[in-house]
Amino acid sequence: MNLNFLDFEQPIAELEAKIEELRYVSKENINITDELAQLRLKSEELTRGIFSSLTAWQISQLARHPQRPYLLDYIERIFTEFEELHGDRAFGDDPAIVGGMARFDGQPVMVIGQQKGRDTKEKLARNFGMPKPEGYRKALRLMKMAERFKLPIMTFIDTPGAYPGVDAEERGQSEAIARNLYEMASLKTPIIATIIGEGGSGGALAIGMGDRVAMLEYSTYSVISPEGCASILWKSASKAPEAAEAMNMTSHRLKELDLIDVVVPEPLGGAHRDIELMADNLGRMLRTNLADLTKLSVSELLDQRYQRFMSFGQFEELS
Amino acid sequence: MSWFEKLLPSRIRTDGTKSKHTVPEGLWSKCPVCQTVLYRAEIDRNLHVCPKCSHHMRIRARQRLEAFLDPSPRTEIGAELSPVDRLKFRDSKKYKDRLAQAQKATGEKDGLIVMRGYLHGLPLVACAFDFEFMAGSMGSVVGERFVRGVNTAIDHHIPFVCFSASGGARMQEALFSLMQMAKTSAALNRLNQKGLPFISVLTDPTTGGVSASLAMLGDINVAEPNALIGFAGPRVIEQTVRETLPEGFQRSEFLLKHGVVDMIIDRREMRQRLVSLLAMMTRQPSPLVALLPDQSGQDTPPTDYAPDTERDSE
């Protein structure tokens, strides 16, 4: 299996290559099962070691890993009867945002999230997961529909950010994002937002105003990309590793700061190493939180959501 | 430079007299558009609008609110709040030092000033971003002051007006800063539920996280003439699309054409136009009747607020 190893995973890559080689040799009737098993154990240990102390920059590379599972990978594993709904009813359909109804443990829900492309052609078609105003307006249309039919909303965030282009500006990118923040604050149905890869700024928040906000362990959530931050504050994009560290953009750190509620553990080596296990963990988290949220009355739900947003901030108050 | 100063090693030598500002702190100043040399007191009197070409220069938050609201009574909201650096953020400089520097340079604790007061007798809460304070970026104090302003408007059942001028989120506060978009938008939703009007005045420049949250959420969105308003900054867009952007792209007139703002209002007419809008939105008698210049004179607008200057200059 080609795992597409990242730079910092090179020692694992070398060991895995050795294992592959031996496996090939073992086919020629030399019994080295024991050695193989030992090497596998060693590889696992090595991975565990490397992954126990990842830097923010390494995590942001994992969050953008070319083999990282995307929204549609999870939809097919966690939901049934997914019916995709298209278009904002005003301008067009944005393939960078996927949305529709589906069943979760048999219960109907609304699923919405950004979708990146796997190969070049699909990447272009999905605009690298960067939505335009019509994408956010489609998302809002579906969320309003969910409110009307009392369906819980589950959003999945995976975007470098909202698309910064001429057409997006002409159609009011700012207004589209702002409108979603505003409307999501008072939608009368539970919202669970999960960051599954990149949580890029306003483009992420525009579908991320949840009653619960979760992050997969190796996903990131930040006000600007590390490259963008580095080129503005350090005047050089090559300082991205420093920027990633400074911005506290990783799941465990954001949980410590109370800016998110849940960290969903990833399989050893990251979500792409074992999608089934990842989908299981994600499904379990959604189940627990949905059960908690459905216990609340609508006014309790909205009140808690409002208090959650009001609590965000760092300042001191002189009396 | 004197021979003595030359002897000093460069790191000790300070060129304190050379200001980096394009506008010198002297008596005279130049309009950046028509290059006319203007008397500073005249610029102040004219609300930082060039009397010759009507170019709207940037204006400090406190000065704007003082010119916008009736002279008294006014109460400042959230002045007791000051920023902290929980993340110990450090780029080429520490955030703590940047804050101290900005506070010293501007005389403000942070980049948003909120006041409760009156506009031609109509009670309201108004706030203004101070672009001089770290490019008007939205950190936690800005968000919290904004929310307290909105809550004051709700408590007294009065309208809310915001003048934005901001580069967007404050990167040094990382995700705390992004969350201010959520916080301010949620507060405006509450204001709306109480049936109270919100007028958002977008001034030069309003981009990024501020544009993509509170500034676009007015019942009425107003722009000042020729202000840069957009989600992404023009440089970022140019890098993305790799082509030169058309003339006037992301300027107020462009936004009006694309249906993003309701109207463009000259700063010198702001008081009169907004009170007229707010009175209609709150179903009150027209304040303009009382403002007619040929009345007994008691209720005429203050003379330092010269609504007719533009027409005179044309």
Side-chain angles (χ1 to χ4, degrees):
Chain A
M1 183 166 65
N2 176 15
L3 280 172
N4 234 318
F5 287 101
L6 298 168
D7 282 354
F8 65 89
E9 295 177 298
Q10 272 323 302
I12 309 170
E14 280 161 28
L15 198 56
E16 286 291 328
K18 214 170 182 180
I19 294 171
E20 273 303 300
E21 221 172 89
L22 273 178
R23 261 178 43 170
Y24 186 74
V25 175
S26 74
K27 279 177 195 151
E28 292 161 6
N29 282 331
I30 312 161
N31 195 348
I32 43 165
T33 335
D34 286 355
E35 268 118 303
L36 262 177
Q38 230 166 11
L39 277 177
R40 286 222 177 84
L41 212 66
K42 206 176 152 195
S43 166
E44 207 180 295
E45 254 168 52
L46 191 63
T47 313
R48 213 177 293 281
I50 290 176
F51 274 72
S52 65
S53 57
L54 291 175
T55 64
W57 177 239
Q58 287 167 341
I59 290 172
S60 79
Q61 286 170 281
L62 280 167
R64 300 187 248 192
H65 195 286
Q67 284 176 320
R68 190 157 180 92
Y70 298 144
L71 172 57
L72 289 172
D73 300 312
Y74 292 122
I75 287 181
E76 88 187 44
R77 286 170 175 83
I78 299 174
F79 301 92
T80 53
E81 292 179 58
F82 176 61
E83 290 287 351
E84 189 173 355
L85 304 170
H86 293 274
D88 71 343
R89 297 290 187 272
F91 178 80
D93 184 48
D94 186 352
I97 286 194
V98 164
M101 282 186 290
R103 284 184 186 271
F104 177 71
D105 293 340
Q107 183 189 352
V109 296
M110 189 66 82
V111 180
I112 299 165
Q114 288 102 356
Q115 174 70 31
K116 293 178 175 176
R118 195 68 67 187
D119 56 33
T120 311
K121 205 176 139 199
E122 202 202 348
K123 277 189 170 83
L124 284 170
R126 303 260 181 213
N127 200 25
F128 303 89
M130 294 186 285
K132 295 182 180 180
E134 54 272 24
Y136 292 115
R137 287 173 184 144
K138 166 169 72 178
L140 183 58
R141 180 175 77 86
L142 301 188
M143 290 191 279
K144 286 278 192 185
M145 191 196 296
E147 178 183 47
R148 191 160 118 72
F149 299 117
K150 301 187 171 59
L151 310 180
I153 299 167
M154 294 180 177
T155 68
F156 299 90
I157 295 159
D158 191 8
T159 180
Y163 183 62
V166 176
D167 54 341
E169 294 288 331
E170 284 174 345
R171 295 197 289 279
Q173 185 72 290
S174 283
E175 196 276 344
I177 295 171
R179 187 63 49 197
N180 282 17
L181 307 182
Y182 181 88
E183 295 288 349
M184 288 182 86
S186 66
L187 279 177
K188 296 184 188 75
T189 188
I191 306 169
I192 303 174
T194 311
I195 296 138
I196 57 172
E198 277 182 281
S201 195
L205 186 63
I207 57 165
M209 303 265 293
D211 297 298
R212 293 281 189 283
V213 177
M215 281 176 79
L216 302 196
E217 192 173 6
Y218 304 130
S219 64
T220 55
Y221 196 8
S222 62
V223 67
I224 185 172
S225 71
E227 289 84 355
C229 180
S231 63
I232 296 172
L233 292 182
W234 279 264
K235 315 273 176 228
S236 153
S238 66
K239 295 282 184 193
E242 282 91 330
E245 205 63 56
M247 282 200 295
N248 293 269
M249 61 197 288
T250 60
S251 61
H252 290 295
R253 184 66 185 128
L254 291 171
K255 174 85 173 72
E256 274 171 26
L257 293 167
D258 279 330
L259 288 166
I260 63 155
D261 307 296
V262 193
V263 177
V264 188
E266 293 201 18
L268 183 63
H272 60 286
R273 293 280 200 104
D274 190 344
I275 303 185
E276 305 305 325
L277 181 58
M278 185 72 255
D280 275 356
N281 292 352
L282 179 54
R284 196 168 318 116
M285 180 281 290
L286 292 171
R287 200 162 294 128
T288 320
N289 283 285
L290 184 61
D292 286 352
L293 292 172
T294 22
K295 278 181 206 142
L296 303 172
S297 70
V298 170
S299 69
E300 284 170 331
L301 182 78
L302 292 187
D303 213 48
Q304 284 187 15
R305 190 184 302 161
Y306 188 74
Q307 293 314 328
R308 181 173 188 278
F309 295 134
M310 291 308 124
S311 74
F312 295 139
Q314 45 163 20
F315 51 82
E316 62 186 5
E317 190 161 4
L318 311 164
S319 48
Chain B
M1 201 181 283
S2 73
W3 64 269
F4 178 72
E5 281 173 302
K6 276 182 195 161
L7 282 178
L8 287 169
S10 59
R11 65 193 158 81
I12 295 176
R13 199 190 298 149
T14 51
D15 296 287
T17 49
K18 278 184 204 156
S19 168
K20 272 192 274 177
H21 294 284
T22 45
V23 184
E25 291 296 315
L27 281 174
W28 299 90
S29 191
K30 214 185 230 178
C31 169
V33 170
C34 71
Q35 307 296 321
T36 311
V37 177
L38 302 160
Y39 190 42
R40 276 193 74 84
E42 192 190 356
I43 297 179
D44 276 340
R45 209 165 32 237
N46 211 33
L47 305 174
H48 286 238
V49 177
C50 173
K52 189 91 184 292
C53 72
S54 286
H55 170 65
H56 282 53
M57 296 172 241
R58 287 172 191 164
I59 181 169
R60 297 287 307 276
R62 203 165 282 279
Q63 196 184 354
R64 179 187 289 277
L65 290 181
E66 276 163 11
F68 177 69
L69 294 169
D70 295 348
S72 69
R74 291 180 197 146
T75 348
E76 189 166 345
I77 297 163
E80 65 281 9
L81 299 169
S82 59
V84 295
D85 176 24
R86 237 179 110 184
L87 302 175
K88 306 217 181 322
F89 194 98
R90 177 184 196 146
D91 47 86
S92 53
K93 243 188 213 167
K94 284 184 191 163
Y95 177 39
K96 233 173 94 183
D97 296 342
R98 281 190 197 270
L99 277 175
Q101 198 181 21
Q103 287 169 341
K104 197 167 164 228
T106 61
E108 301 291 355
K109 284 265 181 244
D110 212 313
L112 183 82
I113 314 291
V114 191
M115 284 182 191
R116 183 181 155 211
Y118 294 84
L119 178 63
H120 288 306
L122 184 135
L124 82 172
V125 175
C127 66
F129 280 78
D130 199 337
F131 194 77
E132 293 281 302
F133 195 102
M134 296 186 76
S137 55
M138 180 156 67
S140 301
V141 170
V142 170
E144 180 69 16
R145 282 185 182 170
F146 187 90
V147 168
R148 290 189 186 189
V150 170
N151 288 342
T152 306
I154 292 174
D155 290 346
H156 294 87
H157 211 71
I158 53 180
F160 187 72
V161 171
C162 171
F163 296 91
S164 52
S166 170
R170 186 172 298 167
M171 280 175 285
Q172 291 87 350
E173 289 194 21
L175 207 68
F176 282 110
S177 165
L178 188 75
M179 289 306 142
Q180 304 312 307
M181 294 171 67
K183 187 170 171 171
T184 54
S185 303
L188 286 172
N189 184 307
R190 286 251 156 140
L191 184 79
N192 176 294
Q193 286 175 25
K194 304 285 176 192
L196 297 167
F198 168 43
I199 296 185
S200 170
V201 184
L202 297 100
T203 80
D204 186 61
T206 301
T207 57
V210 169
S211 150
S213 62
L214 59 100
M216 282 295 168
L217 292 172
D219 292 299
I220 295 177
N221 290 338
V222 174
E224 281 194 336
N226 201 38
L228 177 77
I229 298 162
F231 173 65
R235 253 176 310 165
V236 176
I237 297 175
E238 238 161 7
Q239 280 165 15
T240 317
V241 299
R242 292 177 200 289
E243 58 188 67
T244 330
L245 299 170
E247 179 74 23
F249 179 66
Q250 292 184 313
R251 295 283 165 184
S252 306
E253 294 69 14
F254 171 94
L255 276 100
L256 183 66
K257 191 181 140 210
H258 285 95
V260 178
V261 298
D262 291 277
M263 58 185 79
I264 298 171
I265 298 182
D266 188 296
R267 192 178 293 156
R268 294 161 295 186
E269 293 175 3
M270 200 63 79
R271 268 172 63 86
Q272 210 168 335
R273 297 277 301 276
L274 292 200
V275 77
S276 165
L277 289 168
L278 288 170
M280 286 194 263
M281 294 166 98
T282 50
R283 296 177 308 281
Q284 292 182 53
S286 170
L288 295 186
V289 180
L291 291 173
L292 285 178
D294 58 348
Q295 290 247 318
S296 61
Q298 274 201 322
D299 287 310
T300 48
T303 43
D304 63 345
Y305 167 69
D308 287 325
T309 324
E310 193 192 29
R311 258 168 279 165
D312 288 349
S313 64
E314 273 169 7

